[in-house]
Amino acid sequence: MKIKKEHTIDIIFGLILFCVFAILALIVLMTGSNVYQKTVNQNDATFQSRTTINYINEKVHQCYHQGSVSVVSIENQPALCLIDNVNGENYCTYIYQDNNQLKEAYVDANQSVDLGYGSALLEIQDLKIEVLNENLIKLTMTSIDETTHDLYINTL
Amino acid sequence: MVRAKKSKTTLFLMELILVILIFSIASAICMQLFAKSSTLTRDSNRLDNSATISSNIFEIIKSNNGDLDILKKEYQLYDDNIIYFDDDFDNCNKENAVYKMIITTSSVKHLNTYNLNIVKGKDKIYSTEYKLAIKY
């Protein structure tokens, strides 16, 4: 019986083909993980920063009547005060920063409040509240990923 | 015996080529999905920024009873009521701009209408309309 010698190229070709397959699999896997990581980071950033801005924006628009939005100070920390009238009684929603947290406190408008009173909404790095003119308030929020977002509120 | 060995190698090669073919098709589909996911993320980010900026601009206009001049205090307002933004949607000059917001106004009696359009090149990214009753 004739024994035919196997060529080295047969093995090398198979190996090269397998290597190409392995490299391609790795590239697809890495691209997939990169895209996923990017999307997750983006979602986190959106949640951390824009959720806060959109939340405050909605909250302000909820009690939108003249004189209902003002800037007050709680323990030397600026806070947004949103007055709401319920059954003839005025209640105030304070939105402010305490350490690295955005907090909200809903209390009787005549009641004094301290920084620890509110419930934490989200983690933030910084919240600046500026009164630009008698009708306009500017909120600048820096989220924990250090992106900054501005929100302008008309108080008329 | 020779035939058996040859047949085994050919079978192995055929199997490998077939696997690579199937994998290539799956990869092509995956790559398309990855690209689409990336585009969707970018577009949603862009829309969200556009909506926030438009809302901010209208709040500023509203605080001055509809007068656009107040925008000059907060943004670089060019002729024809155009504001330029960079890739991160930060206000910038015309030279570094990626996006531009065109503000057009129209007025009927005491009601002003503001159309805010954000464009990138010739593509319209976002468009919104606000109405404001002017106080005299």
Side-chain angles (χ1 to χ4, degrees), chain A residues 120-138:
Chain A
L121 296 174
L122 278 170
E123 258 188 278
I124 55 166
Q125 202 175 78
D126 190 37
L127 177 73
K128 277 184 195 154
I129 304 174
E130 296 168 73
V131 181
L132 297 180
N133 61 45
E134 55 182 359
N135 304 326
L136 196 64
I137 295 170
K138 181 185 180 185

Side-chain angles (χ1 to χ4, degrees), chain A residues 23-37:
Chain A
I23 289 166
L24 279 175
L26 201 69
I27 289 170
V28 172
L29 203 69
M30 281 172 71
T31 314
S33 70
N34 278 342
V35 171
Y36 182 71
Q37 195 177 28

